[in-house]
Amino acid sequence: METHDDIRLRPRFYKDIDENIETVRQKFIDYTKHVSPGFLMKIRNNHIQFTIQGEKQRYWSPHLSIELEEKEGNEKYATHIRGLFGPSQTLWTFFIFLHFIIAGIFILFSVFCFSNYTIHQSIKTDLIVLTLMLFCWVLFYFIGRQTRSNGYRQMDELEDEFNKIVGIGKREKR
């Protein structure tokens, strides 16, 4: 998976396996019995959470969410796997919360700016706040990119473990 040139903050991948869902799911269940140190896996039906834990875990450590789905079409015994890398749910929720706060302030001051412009009042303060909110959005984007780039090595580790579990050969190193 190429993560370095992607604009998305939450990289994803898709794989098709020529085994049915129960067989693939059983591979993950078997893996949990002898999980490699430093990894944690939670399985709920056809949804799997795969994370870094222990002394290697940092606030920017990625989590891998895996969905197992029956592959559509003529192939009754195939599984479509959707993988999504992202930060911990707590960090992601906080990040989104900050975006909503900034969006709310931006909308509020846009209304103030329009109102003040309409009644021929000074809009200097409103424009300053709007500019600051735009700056904050750009800053949050770059903070998200930096957080993701800090986790590249751990994303590769999670993907290597995932590939070992489902029996896919090693991916090419970048």
Side-chain angles (χ1 to χ4, degrees):
M1 178 187 59
E2 186 58 44
T3 57
H4 303 286
D5 297 326
D6 196 355
I7 195 166
R8 287 183 282 189
L9 292 177
R10 299 179 69 192
R12 58 196 75 223
F13 65 87
Y14 306 95
K15 304 235 188 254
D16 291 325
I17 308 293
D18 290 330
E19 297 174 344
N20 66 16
I21 282 184
E22 288 306 314
T23 305
V24 175
R25 187 174 182 276
Q26 190 60 45
K27 287 181 179 183
F28 285 99
I29 291 171
D30 293 343
Y31 178 82
T32 59
K33 295 175 184 166
H34 60 277
V35 67
S36 299
F39 296 103
L40 174 68
M41 184 179 293
K42 296 178 185 174
I43 302 172
R44 304 277 186 275
N45 298 325
N46 291 338
H47 181 78
I48 300 159
Q49 285 286 332
F50 196 29
T51 61
I52 303 281
Q53 75 169 14
E55 59 188 52
K56 293 185 340 182
Q57 184 179 18
R58 303 288 183 262
Y59 77 92
W60 40 260
S61 291
H63 292 234
L64 175 57
S65 294
I66 301 167
E67 281 292 327
L68 305 176
E69 301 173 342
E70 279 186 21
K71 187 172 178 185
E72 295 185 19
N74 295 333
E75 304 168 34
K76 296 279 186 196
Y77 300 104
T79 303
H80 180 68
I81 300 174
R82 293 184 304 145
L84 175 67
F85 288 102
S88 72
Q89 287 79 7
T90 306
L91 181 64
W92 185 253
T93 302
F94 180 66
F95 193 69
I96 296 300
F97 172 74
L98 291 177
H99 275 304
F100 278 114
I101 295 294
I102 288 177
I105 292 170
F106 186 84
I107 291 169
L108 185 67
F109 275 87
S110 294
V111 170
F112 289 164
C113 184
F114 177 74
S115 298
N116 287 337
Y117 178 77
T118 306
I119 60 174
H120 305 294
Q121 296 287 328
S122 173
I123 60 171
K124 183 178 177 182
T125 305
D126 301 330
L127 291 176
I128 290 171
V129 172
L130 290 174
T131 303
L132 284 173
M133 293 305 104
L134 287 175
F135 175 76
C136 286
W137 264 328
V138 171
L139 181 66
F140 279 0
Y141 175 76
F142 285 110
I143 289 171
R145 292 277 300 192
Q146 182 61 40
T147 301
R148 184 181 83 173
S149 70
N150 288 343
Y152 282 152
R153 188 178 54 75
Q154 290 183 342
M155 273 192 243
D156 291 341
E157 289 177 29
L158 284 173
E159 190 174 9
D160 286 342
E161 285 296 313
F162 165 79
N163 287 337
K164 280 197 298 191
I165 293 167
V166 296
I168 298 174
K170 284 217 174 235
R171 67 182 168 73
E172 296 175 14
K173 296 289 182 187
R174 291 181 278 286

